[in-house]
Amino acid sequence: MSFFEIIKLIFPLLIICLMLYGLLVFVKKYSFKRGGSSLLNIKVINNQMIMPKKFLSVVKVKDKLLILGISENNITLLKEIDADENDISGEAFQNTNQGFAEIFKKFLPK
């Protein structure tokens, strides 16, 4: 193999790597931001692991609160609550010190 043949092999590889890098920069700069759920008004209030790979989640979607059971292969709606019905505002969940158990107890039948 001559020096010219080696250059002929390496040059296309460098061009492809530069094109991929340029594509990466373009996608990072002009792609949609993560968490586009602000358009849908979705907010995860709290998550609590109950077993390995199994969680309970409280999610606010517009004016509804959803309590979801989440496993590795499934998401189940456990309860749907109108936020207005229970006199719950979005600010009530802003306190990060409030535990999942306290939030969940608010929704249990009395």
Side-chain angles (χ1 to χ4, degrees):
M1 252 185 164
S2 70
F3 179 73
F4 183 69
E5 289 174 345
I6 294 173
I7 296 297
K8 280 175 47 176
L9 290 175
I10 293 177
F11 185 70
L13 178 65
L14 289 174
I15 295 294
I16 291 171
C17 288
L18 288 173
M19 288 173 56
L20 287 174
Y21 181 73
L23 180 64
L24 176 67
V25 169
F26 177 79
V27 167
K28 280 187 173 183
K29 187 172 183 180
Y30 295 108
S31 69
F32 294 109
K33 302 291 182 211
R34 282 189 169 186
S37 63
S38 63
L39 295 174
L40 300 174
N41 231 357
I42 297 174
K43 184 174 182 186
V44 177
I45 304 300
N46 206 338
N47 289 318
Q48 179 66 42
M49 182 171 32
I50 53 175
M51 291 174 51
K53 297 184 182 180
K54 296 185 187 207
F55 298 88
L56 283 176
S57 293
V58 178
V59 179
K60 184 173 183 182
V61 180
K62 292 189 180 184
D63 60 345
K64 304 256 186 218
L65 288 172
L66 307 175
I67 298 178
L68 304 173
I70 301 172
S71 68
E72 189 174 356
N73 300 322
N74 198 2
I75 298 175
T76 305
L77 176 63
L78 300 176
K79 185 150 179 124
E80 181 177 336
I81 302 166
D82 286 330
D84 298 333
E85 251 180 40
N86 294 299
D87 195 31
I88 296 171
S89 63
E91 292 82 28
F93 295 108
Q94 295 298 326
N95 185 3
T96 57
N97 295 333
Q98 189 177 22
F100 184 86
E102 289 82 22
I103 295 171
F104 192 69
K105 285 179 186 176
K106 290 179 184 179
F107 303 115
L108 291 177
K110 295 178 182 178

